[in-house]
């Protein structure tokens, strides 16, 4: 229900130019808008969200001077650093102009920024505005980041190969090779410090669920000493709308309608992970030999150095696709995972994909690529036990075996049952009286209290 006080308050959201971060921030914006807040979305001009799909928001493009980069760079730390340098002055200028206007709807009551848009804190401080951090990865990932300086001081980082399968002290169940960053360069250590520093933020909002990460959230609560609001999974609370940067190919839904219950393996590596040509070929043959129907997302740029992916498929594979597969450049993923025909998700384990899969009771084959994906995969396989991991070299035989284990064998059936139970538990958290439902109401009150 819309609150009297909220309609006249503006919340400014500051989001980075990456799909996995844009989606949860826009979802949070939609939720706050439904509660009566006016929403301004400040974003880098590069990889911008489509404003025409969100007429309810005001959009503020911030020049990010990223013209020197192209999609092949993906040196993420460099890009993030550049954005934090270049977006600061434009955001500050815009907010000053807005606050000079007398209209009540222009009163900014709070700025919510993604963890990696940390320049926002200085802007908020300068303007004496309260700020809140949104964490779009799991809490366990941030706890692992916090451990970086300690692990470096104890000589564990940079990672020694001989230790990679050992458990990290005080970070159960993570092994050294599951750490989101295992290098100790100055850039990495600075990034870790920037990411973990909540500076003068008034609160932290998490796209996670209390029961999933209870103990980790308690540890972080002790460190932060400011309120933590776990209100996930945001996609189950928000009014449905697409936040995709790429066009979704919805034809695959009609194809799914023709498939047998739980028979299809859905394959997607998210928006950033890449593979080389050899991996593409092994994946193709692994899918072909598994005998399961498959829906595979091969987005532009997935294969290093080529956008002409159709040309890359091995001879004979296209015929197999014709018989029992579908290949799309971008899928309506949430609808795909909710479809009865989908029985497994082979994923890079980005946090959004992880939440979307377990919410629909779909067990996973985990093939993490970098950063938090390795942490998510470890939790999926060893704590929640709803996934199995393909480790080391990816060959077609290993892929075929993994698909069979998940889709056909008893082990996979047990994982599916656990995922279904987990999905039901999560759904009850977002319903009236559930933990995320209640915490979201607390967050609303908290935001209103910041400007009263
Ligand atoms: C990035 C990081 O890689 C990830 O580790 C981190 O947790 C968030 O930021 P990304 O790689 O894009 O995200 O993965 P993920 O978090 O899973 O987000 C991908 C989003 O794109 C999901 O919401 C998914 O539903 C959507 N998607 C993906 C589609 O809509 N269609 C597709 O075909 C593929």
């Amino acid at each position: 229900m819309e609150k009297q006080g909220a309609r006249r308050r503006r919340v400014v959201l500051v989001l980075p130019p990456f799909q996995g971060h844009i989606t949860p921030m826009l979802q949070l914006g939609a939720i706050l808008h439904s509660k009566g807040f006016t929403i301004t979305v400040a974003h880098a001009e590069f990889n911008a969200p489509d404003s025409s799909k969100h007429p309810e928001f005001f959009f503020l493009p911030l020049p990010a001077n990223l013209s020197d980069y192209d999609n092949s760079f993906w040196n993420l730390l460099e890009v993030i650093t550049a954005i934090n340098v270049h977006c600061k002055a434009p955001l500050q200028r815009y907010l000053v102009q807005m606050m000079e206007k007398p209209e009540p709807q222009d009163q900014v009551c709070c700025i919510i920024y993604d963890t990696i848009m940390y320049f926002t804190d200085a802007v908020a401080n300068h303007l004496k505005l309260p700020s809140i951090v949104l964490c779009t990865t799991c809490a366990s990932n941030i706890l692992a980041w916090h451990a970086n300086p300690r692990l470096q001081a104890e000589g564990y980082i940079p990672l020694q190969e001989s230790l990679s399968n050992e458990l990290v002290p005080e970070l159960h169940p993570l092994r050294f090779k599951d750490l989101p960053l295992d290098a100790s360069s100055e850039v990495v250590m600075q990034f870790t410090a920037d990411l973990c520093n909540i500076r003068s933020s008034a609160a932290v909002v998490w796209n996670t669920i209390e029961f999933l990460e209870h103990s980790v959230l308690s540890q972080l609560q002790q460190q932060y000493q400011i309120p933590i609001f776990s209100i996930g999974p945001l996609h189950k609370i928000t009014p449905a709308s697409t936040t995709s940067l790429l066009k979704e190919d919805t034809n695959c839904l009609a194809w799914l309608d023709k498939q047998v219950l739980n028979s299809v393996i859905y394959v997607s590596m998210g928006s950033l992970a890449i593979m080389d040509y050899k991996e593409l070929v092994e994946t193709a043959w692994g899918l072909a030999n598994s005998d399961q129907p498959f829906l595979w997302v091969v987005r532009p740029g997935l294969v290093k150095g080529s956008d002409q992916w159709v040309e890359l498929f091995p001879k004979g594979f296209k015929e197999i696709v014709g018989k029992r597969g579908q290949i799309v450049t971008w899928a309506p993923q949430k609808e795909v995972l909710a479809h009865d025909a989908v029985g497994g998700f082979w994923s890079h384990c980005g946090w959004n994909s992880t939440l979307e899969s377990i919410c629909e009771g779909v067990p996973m084959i985990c093939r993490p690529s970098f950063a938090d994906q390795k942490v998510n995969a470890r939790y999926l396989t060893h704590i929640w036990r709803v996934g199995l991991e393909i480790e080391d070299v990816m060959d077609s035989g290993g892929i075929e075996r993994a698909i069979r284990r998940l889709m056909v064998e008893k082990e996979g059936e047990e994982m599916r049952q656990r995922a279904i139970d987990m999905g039901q538990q999560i759904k009850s958290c977002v319903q009236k009286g559930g933990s995320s439902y209640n915490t979201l109401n607390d967050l609303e009150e908290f935001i209103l209290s910041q400007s009263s």
Side-chain angles (χ1 to χ4, degrees):
M1 251 251 297
E2 188 173 307
K3 292 257 169 77
Q4 277 297 316
R7 178 51 75 194
R8 289 170 159 228
R9 313 286 172 87
R10 183 182 294 266
V11 174
V12 176
L13 309 177
V14 184
L15 51 82
F18 307 118
Q19 180 72 70
H21 294 254
I22 290 172
T23 296
M25 185 65 97
L26 292 182
Q27 288 165 343
L28 176 61
I31 293 165
L32 293 177
H33 183 267
S34 74
K35 285 178 175 286
F37 291 94
T38 301
I39 302 293
T40 293
V41 177
H43 60 87
E45 273 175 345
F46 165 79
N47 260 357
D50 183 351
S51 56
S52 69
K53 291 196 186 128
H54 306 278
E56 73 282 22
F57 298 156
F58 295 85
F59 282 84
L60 170 64
L62 305 170
N65 287 5
L66 286 170
S67 52
D68 290 348
Y69 300 95
D70 61 42
N71 263 343
S72 61
F73 65 90
W74 289 125
N75 183 344
L76 292 177
L77 296 192
E78 228 178 287
V79 176
I80 292 167
T81 308
I83 291 167
N84 276 279
V85 170
H86 296 305
C87 291
K88 187 175 161 202
L91 179 65
Q92 188 158 309
R93 246 191 338 267
Y94 169 80
L95 292 180
V96 168
Q97 282 166 14
M98 182 184 268
M99 289 163 75
E100 279 166 356
K101 292 183 190 164
E103 288 83 5
Q105 72 270 20
D106 288 322
Q107 284 175 15
V108 177
C109 75
C110 164
I111 308 182
I112 303 183
Y113 66 97
D114 186 289
T115 345
I116 60 178
M117 299 296 266
Y118 43 80
F119 73 91
T120 310
D121 181 76
V123 176
N125 264 338
H126 180 78
L127 301 173
K128 299 196 169 40
L129 288 170
S131 66
I132 293 177
V133 181
L134 172 67
C135 288
T136 57
T137 68
C138 67
S140 311
N141 171 55
I142 298 293
L143 193 69
W145 283 84
H146 276 279
N148 245 30
R150 167 176 69 84
L151 296 172
Q152 192 190 19
E154 291 170 2
Y156 290 118
I157 289 179
L159 180 65
Q160 298 147 40
E161 202 48 45
S162 59
L163 287 181
S164 65
N165 281 310
E166 301 290 316
L167 288 173
V168 183
E170 295 170 46
L171 278 184
H172 178 80
L174 302 186
R175 300 159 300 182
F176 281 97
K177 67 178 180 187
D178 304 317
L179 288 173
L181 282 181
D182 52 25
S184 67
S185 72
E186 213 174 294
V187 181
V188 168
M189 293 317 282
Q190 184 55 50
F191 182 64
T192 310
D194 285 331
L195 198 89
C196 292
N197 187 351
I198 49 164
R199 298 175 183 81
S200 55
S201 299
V204 182
V205 173
W206 230 299
N207 186 20
T208 190
I209 308 118
E210 168 61 30
F211 85 89
L212 270 189
E213 298 199 272
H214 175 73
S215 123
V216 171
L217 285 163
S218 307
Q219 289 179 59
L220 287 166
Q221 178 68 81
Q222 277 189 356
Q223 292 189 29
Y224 289 164
Q225 299 288 320
I226 55 171
I228 292 182
F229 297 95
S230 301
I231 57 168
L234 289 164
H235 76 281
K236 280 288 169 196
I237 304 172
T238 183
S241 77
T242 178
T243 54
S244 282
L245 296 173
L246 295 173
K247 191 170 165 16
E248 292 170 358
D249 181 345
T250 50
N251 292 329
C252 59
L253 296 172
W255 177 81
L256 283 175
D257 287 343
K258 295 187 208 121
Q259 309 304 316
V260 173
L261 177 75
N262 287 339
S263 65
V264 175
I265 175 91
Y266 169 60
V267 187
S268 166
M269 299 299 145
S271 66
L272 295 173
I274 51 176
M275 53 169 56
D276 57 26
Y277 174 64
K278 186 170 180 310
E279 277 179 296
L280 179 94
V281 172
E282 294 297 331
T283 302
W285 288 130
L287 287 169
N289 297 339
S290 74
D291 280 342
Q292 293 296 132
F294 57 88
L295 169 59
W296 184 8
V297 179
V298 184
R299 60 159 217 277
L302 174 70
V303 181
K304 246 183 264 173
S306 175
D307 277 350
Q308 300 302 313
W309 50 269
V310 178
E311 308 304 321
L312 296 174
F313 286 134
K315 216 165 165 245
F317 181 66
K318 278 189 212 157
E319 289 69 41
I320 291 166
V321 175
K323 279 191 206 134
R324 62 182 164 79
Q326 281 276 300
I327 295 189
V328 293
T329 48
W330 196 251
Q333 181 165 302
K334 287 184 273 302
E335 284 157 276
V336 165
L337 288 168
H339 199 288
D340 285 348
V342 174
F345 182 12
W346 172 3
S347 168
H348 70 309
C349 303
W351 186 234
N352 296 289
S353 295
T354 300
L355 287 176
E356 290 160 12
S357 199
I358 55 181
C359 278
E360 301 306 335
V362 177
M364 296 168 79
I365 294 176
C366 305
R367 178 69 182 172
S369 180
F370 61 86
D372 62 316
Q373 299 160 17
K374 297 185 282 177
V375 177
N376 303 336
R378 188 69 176 161
Y379 272 77
L380 283 162
T381 54
H382 283 74
I383 300 293
W384 306 322
R385 295 167 57 233
V386 294
L388 54 91
E389 184 168 359
I390 302 183
E391 295 201 71
D392 308 320
V393 183
M394 203 167 75
D395 61 27
S396 60
I399 293 168
E400 183 190 335
R401 266 192 307 283
I403 295 175
R404 284 182 181 283
R405 277 172 66 196
L406 191 77
M407 304 296 288
V408 184
E409 291 175 13
K410 187 158 180 280
E411 182 188 7
E413 188 46 47
E414 287 169 358
M415 285 181 195
R416 183 166 302 109
Q417 192 50 54
R418 280 193 288 272
I420 290 169
D421 294 345
M422 208 168 175
Q424 277 163 356
Q425 220 180 327
I426 292 174
K427 276 175 199 148
S428 67
C429 290
V430 300
Q431 282 161 9
K432 195 167 180 190
S435 67
S436 293
Y437 179 95
N438 289 341
T439 308
L440 190 54
N441 287 337
D442 295 344
L443 174 64
E444 181 187 359
E445 294 302 329
F446 183 82
I447 295 174
L448 289 172
S449 75
Q450 294 301 298
S451 58
S452 55

